[in-house]
Every structure is written in C-alpha cells, then in structure tokens.
C-alpha cells in the first residue's frame, strides 16, 4: 500500500515512503518492506544464493505450517502458485493457481 494513513490493529499509522509511524508521532510502527525486498536483502547481506533465500521464504514456512503437500512445491495436486525469477534473482512472473498474474510496479 502506498503513502497514507491506515489502521494497524487498533492503532492509526502513517506510511510515508520507507517509514511506517504511529500517526502524529516519530515512533516506528512497523515495516513497509515487501517480502521480495526482504529476500533480496537477505541474499545480499548474507551472500547466500538467492535460490536458497527464496526457499527459506516459501517452501520452509509452508512445511512448518504443515502445508507442504499443497503449497511450496510444483507437483501434481499442488496449488501451482509460485513466482518465477531470472538468473539475477529478479521476479519476472507470478502465478496463482496456475494462472499468470500481471506484475505491478512497487
């Protein structure tokens, strides 16, 4: 979501660029970092290959939640919801239940 004022639970917060603050204060209320940005940061700062960081952010959580039989893998009977990346780790396509979605600019 872009700049603006939102409700975060019972708290009113203001998003302004890269910051999310409690409305009317300078108190940090959360992050506006996307999961994709977090994965790229993790790969960059740890020097772990991006393929491994993507797995850490997708397949591993699905397995921890007991959903790995239908989420986080490509196999008959799975949801076929996944992202496609180029060799540099930039997302180039997203599929939801097998259908390609239009990418939006972040």
């Amino acid at each position: 979501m872009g700049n603006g004022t939102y409700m975060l639970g019972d708290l009113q917060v203001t998003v302004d660029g890269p910051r999310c603050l409690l409305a009317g204060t300078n108190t940090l209320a959360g992050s506006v970092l996307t999961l994709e940005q977090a994965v790229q940061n993790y790969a960059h700062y740890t020097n772990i290959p991006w393929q491994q960081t993507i797995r850490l952010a997708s397949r591993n959580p699905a397995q921890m939640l007991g959903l790995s039989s239908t989420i986080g893998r490509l196999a008959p009977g799975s949801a076929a919801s996944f992202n496609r990346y180029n060799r540099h780790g930039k997302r180039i396509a997203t599929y939801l239940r097998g259908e390609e979605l239009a990418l939006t600019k972040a």
Side-chain angles (χ1 to χ4, degrees):
M1 295 177 60
N3 291 343
T5 301
Y6 304 97
M7 293 303 294
L8 180 63
D10 294 334
L11 302 173
Q12 188 175 38
V13 298
T14 302
V15 174
D16 185 15
R19 297 175 49 137
C20 179
L21 304 173
L22 287 177
T25 73
N26 271 336
T27 303
L28 189 62
S31 174
V32 295
L33 186 70
T34 66
L35 181 59
E36 184 171 7
Q37 290 168 326
V39 168
Q40 289 172 351
N41 288 350
Y42 188 81
H44 175 76
Y45 290 112
T46 63
N47 291 319
I48 292 175
W50 64 266
Q51 298 93 327
Q52 185 176 345
T53 62
I54 291 168
R55 188 176 313 114
L56 292 171
S58 60
R59 190 180 308 160
N60 290 4
Q63 187 173 20
M64 290 172 60
L65 293 170
L67 302 172
S68 59
S69 64
T70 58
I71 295 176
R73 68 189 186 105
L74 290 176
S78 67
S81 297
F82 60 95
N83 290 313
R84 204 172 83 217
Y85 296 84
N86 68 16
R87 64 186 179 138
H88 303 292
K90 178 165 177 42
R91 182 170 49 104
I92 57 173
T94 295
Y95 298 83
L96 181 62
R97 293 182 294 280
E99 297 291 325
E100 186 172 1
L101 304 177
L103 292 180
T104 59
K105 298 280 184 187

